[in-house]
Amino acid sequence: MAPMKRPAASSASGVSKKVAKDPLAAKGDEIAAMLHAAEGFPEAVIHAIATNLDKSLLIPKDQRHAFQEEVVGMIEQVLVSVEKALQSKAGDAQAKVAGSDSEKSVREQAVLAAEAVIAEKVAAVDAAKAALNEAAGEDAAAKTGMEDAKAEQKTGDAGYVEAAKKKSTLEAMFTDEYSTVKHWNSSNSWKKSVQAVVRICKQFGFEPQLLVSAEPALSKPPDERGSFDNLVLQQLEDQIKSVLQQLGETLSNGEADKAARAGKVESAAARLASAVERFKACKVEVATTSSAVKEAEAQCMAAKKKLREFGPQLELATSELEAANVDLKDCEAVLASFRVLQGRTSVMEVAPIAEPAAAVELEGEAGAVAAE
């Protein structure tokens, strides 16, 4: 190509003509930019080799010093690392896009599994609530049974307690006050004893006529009592013993009934305690299963969110793959230019390293300038 002339300034138009850029310098700028994109190297080193390409790579191979060759080797190492990084990035993006169908299926299955877990947990809650209702019924029935057993015990034991009280009262009178007045000791309380005997016998419903005759007989000393007095006292004693015997039989017969009523209360208490514990356990189970449903619902929502995010993520992955492929292609072009410059000698032409379109454009512009 003929040397380009510097265009003269036109005072009329004031417009400058374009000057073709040195192809070597253009390629050097591309390589420098790629060097600056490298990672994992000291920034100062990258800056040093990228800003001094005219002192290393752009010098023909047959004119380079051994030290300059070492620098070219360093440039190659950095560019290759950039290419490998871009290849890895493009590979990862490609794998992500290629596995999109599988990933979508996995996320869909995760949603279905989460929904199945929710259904399972809801069924567990329903079962727990049914058990709780049953336990509540058992608890209410046990409380009613306990109340009935206690009421029966209270009513039944009332007759037994009353009989025991009467027997104790009559026995105390017979061995104390009656014995005092019958044997006529020197105590000054004999009058009160006679009154007590008559009063208590009246309380027990003894024959009134017998008591009318017994009071004066008891008021006499034993040696002053006649046969009638002794007969009256004997009848009184016989009636006292008869009543005591009846009360004793009542208590003896009532022992079994009393024990049975106590057993009913004890059994009712055990059933109530068991019902209360089951009711408490069922309440805990309802709370536990309800909490499990909430947890399952949260997990299902998270799974559905991941499924919704799949589309945008796939679009992003596709975009990243396209960008990675473009970057890798640009890198490969720059690395190809580097290979040409790396092996270029002083007898080789520079034209092959320029882009064909750019070379034609530059040549056309140079011809236009030369024609002016």
Side-chain angles (χ1 to χ4, degrees):
M1 181 182 298
M4 293 191 301
K5 294 171 58 179
R6 183 181 298 274
S10 174
S11 58
S13 61
V15 179
S16 299
K17 300 295 183 177
K18 292 182 179 180
V19 178
K21 188 174 182 179
D22 182 4
L24 287 177
K27 292 303 178 182
D29 291 343
E30 293 176 355
I31 293 172
M34 187 65 69
L35 290 171
H36 284 294
E39 297 180 353
F41 296 92
E43 184 177 350
V45 173
I46 296 298
H47 179 75
I49 62 177
T51 56
N52 291 284
L53 294 179
D54 58 331
K55 300 178 178 63
S56 57
L57 181 63
L58 298 184
I59 296 176
K61 181 177 179 63
D62 55 341
Q63 296 178 10
R64 293 176 198 153
H65 188 273
F67 289 162
Q68 291 172 319
E69 280 294 337
E70 290 183 8
V71 173
V72 172
M74 293 172 61
I75 295 172
E76 180 180 19
Q77 180 183 353
V78 174
L79 293 177
V80 169
S81 73
V82 173
E83 182 186 33
K84 288 182 178 179
L86 291 173
Q87 287 174 341
S88 176
K89 183 177 180 181
D92 292 343
Q94 179 62 45
K96 187 180 295 185
V97 173
S100 60
D101 290 342
S102 175
E103 177 63 21
K104 183 179 181 182
S105 177
V106 168
R107 297 190 186 191
E108 289 173 343
Q109 291 301 318
V111 171
L112 293 176
E115 291 175 342
V117 170
I118 290 177
E120 178 185 345
K121 300 301 181 183
V122 169
V125 170
D126 293 340
K129 287 182 177 179
L132 178 62
N133 290 334
E134 183 180 347
E138 292 178 357
D139 181 68
K143 288 179 179 178
T144 301
M146 183 67 177
E147 293 172 357
D148 292 343
K150 283 186 175 181
E152 181 182 352
Q153 183 185 42
K154 183 178 180 180
T155 302
D157 287 359
Y160 181 89
V161 172
E162 182 65 21
K165 183 178 179 181
K166 285 182 178 181
K167 184 173 182 293
S168 176
T169 300
L170 191 58
E171 284 177 338
M173 180 272 291
F174 188 59
T175 58
D176 188 6
E177 286 89 358
Y178 182 79
S179 178
T180 297
V181 297
K182 179 181 179 182
H183 299 291
W184 194 259
N185 57 27
S186 58
S187 174
N188 294 326
S189 62
W190 65 272
K191 289 184 178 181
K192 292 182 178 181
S193 297
V194 171
Q195 294 173 353
V197 170
V198 173
R199 184 184 72 254
I200 291 172
C201 288
K202 285 182 178 180
Q203 291 176 355
F204 278 84
F206 285 18
E207 296 177 7
Q209 188 59 44
L210 177 62
L211 295 179
V212 170
S213 302
E215 186 173 1
L218 291 170
S219 300
K220 298 176 184 179
D223 56 354
E224 294 180 7
R225 295 172 187 157
S227 57
F228 178 75
D229 294 329
N230 291 329
L231 177 62
V232 169
L233 294 181
Q234 184 61 49
Q235 290 179 351
L236 181 62
E237 287 184 19
D238 291 343
Q239 192 160 357
I240 290 173
K241 291 178 180 178
S242 176
V243 172
L244 287 174
Q245 183 179 359
Q246 293 175 5
L247 291 173
E249 292 175 354
T250 298
L251 293 176
S252 178
N253 294 332
E255 281 291 344
D257 295 337
K258 183 174 182 294
R261 288 189 293 270
K264 286 184 178 180
V265 171
E266 185 177 352
S267 298
R271 286 194 298 271
L272 179 58
S274 177
V276 169
E277 287 301 318
R278 182 169 182 241
F279 182 73
K280 289 180 180 178
C282 289
K283 286 182 69 177
V284 171
E285 183 65 15
V286 169
T288 301
T289 53
S290 298
S291 177
V293 168
K294 291 181 179 180
E295 183 179 350
E297 289 174 341
Q299 293 177 350
C300 185
M301 289 179 62
K304 288 181 177 179
K305 181 182 178 183
K306 288 190 68 175
L307 182 58
R308 289 194 304 270
E309 293 172 346
F310 176 77
Q313 289 175 349
L314 178 58
E315 292 179 1
L316 178 60
T318 302
S319 176
E320 291 176 347
L321 175 58
E322 293 174 354
N325 285 332
V326 170
D327 291 343
L328 180 59
K329 185 176 180 180
D330 292 342
C331 176
E332 290 172 345
V334 171
L335 195 56
S337 297
F338 166 79
R339 299 295 186 196
V340 173
L341 294 174
Q342 183 184 30
R344 183 181 66 92
T345 64
S346 57
V347 297
M348 297 175 63
E349 292 190 3
V350 177
I353 65 171
E355 294 292 340
V360 171
E361 180 181 356
L362 292 175
E363 189 172 313
E365 290 181 354
V369 173
E372 291 183 352

